[in-house]
Amino acid sequence: MGGADAGTGAFYDAALHKRQALMGKSGPSALIKNFKVFSIACFACIGGVLYGYNQGMFSGVLAMPSFQKHMGEYDPLDPQADQTKKGWLTAILELGAWIGTLLSGFLAEVLSRKYGVLVACAVFIVGVIIQATAVQAGPNAILAGRFVTGMGVGSLAMIIPIYNSEVAPPEVRGALVATQQLAICFGIMVSFWIDYGTNFIGGTTLGTQTDASWLTPICLQLFPAVVLFIGMIFMPFSPRWLIHHGREEEARKVLANLRGLDENHELVEIEFLEIKAQSLFEKRSIAELFPELREQTAWNIFKLQFVSIKKLFQTRAMFKRVIVATVTMFFQQWTGINAVLYYAPSIFMQLGLDNTTISLLATGVVGIVMFLATIPAVLWIDRVGRKPVLTVGAIGMGTCHLIIAVIVARNFGHWGEQPAAGWAAVCMVWLFVIHFGYSWGPCAWIIVAEIWPLSTRPYGVALGASSNWMNNFIVGQVTPDMLKSMPYGTYILFGVLTYLGAGFIWFFVPETKRLTLEEMDVIFGSEGTAQADFDRMAAINSEIGLTRILAGDSGVIEEVAPTTSKEKVNEHHEGV
């Protein structure tokens, strides 16, 4: 590969090998050696559990008879009620999360990742308390509380992965960030089974079931949120944030403490300089692209994320990346996954499981299979690749939808006569969730994160997340109306859109596994973007002395054999 990328590849190989010589290789042993950091990251992932719990919990609450009597015209169980209003009860959380996502970058940068999590927890707790007043205040309390809770959830879902990635050493960073996805699935799974258990409080019918049946799963969120809030007070600041804001001595102490090493240890010095280089790179990139925003004031930081996203639309090559990120997230949501997570008990009732207890039991299985199906993706996605996993997953999900549509069309209104047909449809829902768990759940986010040049990655990921939450909101809003007006047509729509998602991935999205940033430029037609980034980074590395440390006694960092980026991309695609 040509100059800059070859030198940069050799540079980071040298950095990796130097760390491995001092610290050891990645894998389970690295997690044990970095147990302190692993513990901090797992604790922070309580935020992911809260996110997942919120996604799954409300679907069970909607199915409980005792919840019905407080909702008035928003009654989620009355088939004659306005289904659009039922959709608002669920979807307003996603609208709040969309706003929380847009604000999270600002909070994390101005207040710090640590204090950003504290603010998000506080907002989340206020939202839960508002929802708990619904016994007296009715549906307005649920609507207001879920909107506020959503703002907290959206912020936590963005800030926690950033915090985990920045306290973790490079050897275990991928594993710790992936823990967030497992935490989300764990939260979904737990919420379904808590709903199943609390459904029995007082009884399972409208006359006997008490308000505690639905207040309990809502209020249980307070416990992990309070634990996360109190615990984060004692957690360290992100070393990256400290360095970026000029607190370098404090950052060195925090970094040494996290690694369990002396401040002057060579490993601490290498990682400290790598973080400092990345910080200087971002500051100089901003100074070049947006000179009027180079000062780190709160107002400039707030404006920066919006003007940076606007810039992504101004060149053809970057717009291609925008299309890949936003359309991938569009199709992820229109697979219908959150229609299942938000309305699973209602869907199972419509498929013939007219007993609330049985429908909640079937919903609990959804949580288990989704959690288990996510694990293989974390282990093997870098070996198999993104395109085949996403394509196969989409074809599997689309096929499940169409099979369900056929079963519903043939048996709707006659489930009592054909109980086996209803269970067959339920099994297809379970299989659908399995296909999502190993494919579009984790892999869509991987693509969105890795297609951007270094200088625009934070804003590109934020744009993809924004598309995710907005489409999440739309799906949550329209699903009740669709299930009522077109019982089997809903599954046909989701199935067709999921097949289109498979086509989009296969024909329009390049395979990105193991590609360098310069090779991404070749694929998207923006050659030179990554090289300019690399040139700037190389100058910074030399300026702060990182190049000298890695070169060691020889004074030379060994370079790889020259190969052009286009040759490597062609070889890569021939092997896919």
Side-chain angles (χ1 to χ4, degrees):
M1 208 171 359
D5 201 27
T8 306
F11 181 89
Y12 287 110
D13 281 346
L16 178 61
H17 292 149
K18 190 85 169 180
R19 277 193 300 269
Q20 287 180 349
L22 293 167
M23 195 71 182
K25 296 185 177 181
S26 301
S29 60
L31 290 175
I32 294 172
K33 286 185 178 180
N34 291 278
F35 184 74
K36 185 172 186 177
V37 171
F38 181 57
S39 301
I40 291 172
C42 287
F43 180 82
C45 280
I46 292 175
V49 175
L50 286 173
Y51 170 32
Y53 184 93
N54 233 280
Q55 275 194 303
M57 173 271 299
F58 202 64
S59 65
V61 169
L62 285 172
M64 293 181 187
S66 60
F67 184 70
Q68 173 186 14
K69 63 183 180 183
H70 298 288
M71 291 301 102
E73 59 186 354
Y74 287 83
D75 183 355
L77 295 180
D78 183 0
Q80 304 307 317
D82 187 340
Q83 297 297 298
T84 300
K85 290 185 174 180
K86 175 183 175 180
W88 271 109
L89 287 177
T90 297
I92 197 167
L93 181 130
E94 278 62 55
L95 189 60
W98 179 67
I99 294 174
T101 298
L102 293 178
L103 295 175
S104 61
F106 170 73
L107 287 175
E109 196 58 48
V110 170
L111 300 179
S112 79
R113 282 65 163 133
K114 174 178 173 175
Y115 291 153
V117 171
L118 293 177
V119 170
C121 281
V123 171
F124 182 92
I125 290 168
V126 169
V128 173
I129 292 172
I130 294 173
Q131 289 179 70
T133 66
V135 173
Q136 290 81 29
N140 288 335
I142 293 294
L143 291 168
R146 281 182 63 76
F147 179 80
V148 175
T149 301
M151 292 179 65
V153 165
S155 293
L156 286 172
M158 289 293 291
I159 298 174
I160 293 294
I162 295 173
Y163 178 79
N164 281 351
S165 68
E166 291 179 356
V167 300
E171 291 79 15
V172 296
R173 184 173 296 142
L176 296 188
V177 174
T179 305
Q180 172 80 351
Q181 181 66 27
L182 286 176
I184 292 170
C185 292
F186 179 76
I188 293 172
M189 178 177 66
V190 168
S191 73
F192 286 158
W193 287 104
I194 287 176
D195 283 344
Y196 175 73
T198 62
N199 180 60
F200 291 97
I201 298 178
T204 58
T205 61
L206 181 59
T208 60
Q209 193 176 64
T210 67
D211 289 331
S213 62
W214 60 273
L215 280 173
T216 300
I218 286 178
C219 293
L220 275 177
Q221 300 173 94
L222 289 172
F223 175 71
V226 169
V227 169
L228 180 59
F229 182 90
I230 295 174
M232 282 303 296
I233 295 173
F234 303 99
M235 293 296 113
F237 286 96
S238 155
R240 188 262 180 211
W241 183 85
L242 290 170
I243 290 173
H244 201 61
H245 289 263
R247 295 161 61 174
E248 294 191 5
E249 288 306 311
E250 186 179 351
R252 190 185 293 272
K253 290 178 181 177
V254 168
L255 196 59
N257 184 261
L258 286 170
R259 304 297 176 257
L261 299 170
D262 184 78
E263 288 182 37
N264 297 319
H265 194 282
E266 187 177 10
L267 185 67
V268 173
E269 180 68 13
I270 290 173
E271 192 172 349
F272 174 83
L273 291 177
E274 284 182 317
I275 296 170
K276 183 176 180 178
Q278 182 65 37
S279 173
L280 287 173
F281 170 82
E282 290 182 18
K283 290 177 180 177
R284 293 181 186 181
S285 297
I286 290 169
E288 179 179 310
L289 296 172
F290 311 106
E292 71 281 7
L293 301 177
R294 63 192 305 168
E295 296 297 324
Q296 285 185 293
T297 65
W299 179 236
N300 281 350
I301 291 171
F302 181 76
K303 289 194 295 183
L304 180 62
Q305 56 191 331
F306 297 103
V307 298
S308 298
I309 288 175
K310 177 184 175 183
K311 193 171 182 67
L312 300 180
F313 290 83
Q314 294 177 335
T315 65
R316 181 181 178 87
M318 293 306 295
F319 186 65
K320 288 181 182 179
R321 288 172 156 107
V322 169
I323 293 296
V324 168
T326 56
V327 176
T328 297
M329 281 306 177
F330 168 86
F331 281 121
Q332 188 208 46
Q333 289 305 308
W334 284 95
T335 60
I337 182 60
N338 281 318
V340 173
L341 295 181
Y342 297 149
Y343 302 106
S346 299
I347 289 172
F348 289 139
M349 286 181 184
Q350 193 185 57
L351 296 177
L353 305 186
D354 53 1
N355 183 292
T356 302
T357 302
I358 298 298
S359 68
L360 288 174
L361 184 62
T363 302
V365 176
V366 168
I368 292 175
V369 297
M370 185 172 179
F371 177 76
L372 295 177
T374 304
I375 296 173
V378 175
L379 297 176
W380 291 302
I381 184 60
D382 285 322
R383 179 178 299 179
V384 179
R386 287 62 162 143
K387 284 183 70 163
V389 170
L390 287 168
T391 304
V392 170
I395 292 172
M397 287 187 288
T399 302
C400 290
H401 275 309
L402 295 186
I403 293 173
I404 295 170
V406 171
I407 295 173
V408 173
R410 291 174 60 90
N411 298 280
F412 192 75
H414 306 285
W415 298 111
E417 304 165 17
Q418 296 288 345
W423 278 108
V426 169
C427 289
M428 284 297 104
V429 173
W430 292 338
L431 184 58
F432 160 83
V433 172
I434 290 172
H435 282 298
F436 181 86
Y438 72 76
S439 60
W440 285 74
C443 297
W445 284 106
I446 291 173
I447 283 184
V448 168
E450 66 187 2
I451 62 174
W452 306 98
L454 284 174
S455 52
T456 59
R457 179 171 294 166
Y459 316 110
V461 174
L463 186 64
S466 178
S467 171
N468 178 278
W469 281 112
M470 182 51 64
N471 284 288
N472 196 333
F473 163 70
I474 295 170
V475 169
Q477 176 62 51
V478 303
T479 296
D481 278 312
M482 294 197 319
L483 288 172
K484 180 181 178 182
S485 60
M486 47 184 204
Y488 64 87
T490 300
Y491 301 101
I492 293 176
L493 175 64
F494 284 141
V496 170
L497 286 173
T498 305
Y499 279 135
L500 289 175
F504 173 76
I505 293 295
W506 191 255
F507 294 109
F508 296 103
V509 177
E511 177 58 71
T512 56
K513 73 168 183 176
R514 299 184 181 181
L515 288 183
T516 67
L517 292 177
E518 189 177 15
E519 289 158 3
M520 292 282 188
D521 278 356
V522 173
I523 286 174
F524 288 102
S526 57
E527 291 95 331
T529 302
Q531 184 166 340
D533 286 348
F534 290 149
D535 289 343
R536 180 179 294 120
M537 184 65 86
I540 291 170
N541 288 331
S542 178
E543 175 186 323
I544 65 176
L546 182 57
T547 305
R548 176 181 51 79
I549 291 176
L550 295 178
D553 297 333
S554 67
V556 177
I557 296 177
E558 184 181 352
E559 295 209 358
V560 296
T563 309
T564 68
S565 294
K566 290 184 179 179
E567 287 173 350
K568 281 206 70 179
V569 171
N570 290 336
E571 291 171 3
H572 173 83
H573 283 294
E574 287 171 4
V576 171

